[in-house]
Amino acid sequence: MNNEKKVLLGMSLAELQQVVTDLGMPKFTAGQIAKWLYQQHVGTIDEMTNLSKANREKLSQSFQVGCMAPIDSQHSKDGTIKYLFPVASGHFVETVYIPERQRVGEQGSGIGDRATLCVSCQVGCKMNCLFCQTGKQGYEGSLTAGDILNQIYSLPERETLTNIVFMGQGEPMDNLDAVLRATEVLTSDYGYAWSPRRITVSSVGVKNKLKRFLDESECHVAISMHSPLPEQRQMLMPAEKQMSITEVVDLLKQYDFSHQRRCSFEYICFAGLNDTTTHAREIIKLLRGLNCRVNLIRFHEIPGVDLPGADEKRMEALRDYLTAHGVFTTIRASRGQDIFAACGLLSTAVKNSLNDK
């Protein structure tokens, strides 16, 4: 990519209006550019054919679309596809496409009903959760809004997407400005015009940033809990020290999740560590009064981490106990484990180090 030119991808309508004003172009041109970007998905400014040739040339002198195709892909036996995308900094991030067949009645076909894209927002991550391969990579930089949107823009299966989850590499609240800019484009009429209910943003809980997200966005929120016990959660997740799970839940209780906006908690199950009845009781106590759900997740082993994953029987028992006591709980299907695309396995450390040489 030519780094001397600014990138249009990721710009809001207001920003595009400023661009055309600065270039002496009619203000309505901004809407035309937005349509070419977010509805037509053009690769070059020359493809914006309802702009005059003179205006296309003027725009091209300082700007580029900024889309970049994935440079690699891996296909799982379960249909999951992991893509490797370049980003503006010269590094790479992994993005996971997860197609699902839905259970339907006799009248439905059930084919191609749902497809979720797990996007990244940082190269590596600062949070350093014990059980996460991305955390072991360390932090190598945050993505721009354009980098985030490019994972959708340049996805071969883009037209099949029904949902987007910010659960890839990085902590979304640690790159909140770019995440909010990306979700604005995704949900605005000038952009993708998606309902915010098709988007879920995850977080470990970052003080001040989580509140800002809840105030400025209508997207779903998913909180990484993994233990209701503060000392144990801090052992698993150093971020507990900065914003405890109790503080996170107290904040969430100030918002209304009784209608369409959803609040959920992610909970990786470790055998004998956080899957006991004691933990279940503490989860029930912690979440009392909050309209939410809990997603139990299988632990996928990573090198150098001695944590045993809970078996199916223990996870089912935990699910049933929580559900019986009023906490709606599901066990998330594990997808893409054979290509290291499952929860906690994403890493581009090797690729980035090779690229830096």
Side-chain angles (χ1 to χ4, degrees), residues 257-326:
F257 295 103
S258 64
H259 299 292
Q260 289 185 318
R261 192 181 195 186
R262 190 169 66 239
C263 170
S264 59
F265 290 86
E266 311 296 296
Y267 198 93
I268 296 176
C269 294
F270 304 106
L273 185 68
N274 68 347
D275 63 346
T276 70
T277 303
T278 297
H279 288 87
R281 288 173 180 155
E282 290 299 319
I283 292 171
I284 293 163
K285 186 189 304 182
L286 178 68
L287 301 183
R288 186 171 291 126
L290 179 62
N291 196 305
C292 64
R293 66 176 63 188
V294 173
N295 295 317
L296 303 182
I297 302 170
R298 294 167 183 81
F299 175 57
H300 304 106
E301 293 184 9
I302 61 174
V305 175
D306 186 22
L307 287 171
D311 61 27
E312 197 73 17
K313 186 176 180 181
R314 277 301 311 155
M315 291 182 70
E316 290 175 355
L318 182 57
R319 176 198 63 193
D320 294 345
Y321 188 96
L322 291 172
T323 299
H325 288 79

Side-chain angles (χ1 to χ4, degrees), residues 19-81:
V19 166
V20 301
T21 298
D22 292 345
L23 292 176
M25 296 160 61
K27 191 173 182 179
F28 67 81
T29 309
Q32 294 175 317
I33 295 172
K35 185 173 181 179
W36 284 113
L37 287 173
Y38 304 127
Q39 296 177 31
Q40 302 299 323
H41 295 92
V42 296
T44 65
I45 291 170
D46 282 340
E47 295 174 65
M48 301 179 183
T49 52
N50 61 352
L51 276 62
S52 69
K53 185 176 180 182
N55 281 340
R56 294 200 303 270
E57 290 176 351
K58 191 182 297 185
L59 190 60
S60 295
Q61 287 175 6
S62 301
F63 294 89
Q64 59 187 325
V65 170
C67 57
M68 295 181 284
I71 64 166
D72 192 22
S73 64
Q74 292 176 268
H75 295 247
S76 168
K77 60 187 178 183
D78 65 21
T80 299
I81 307 173

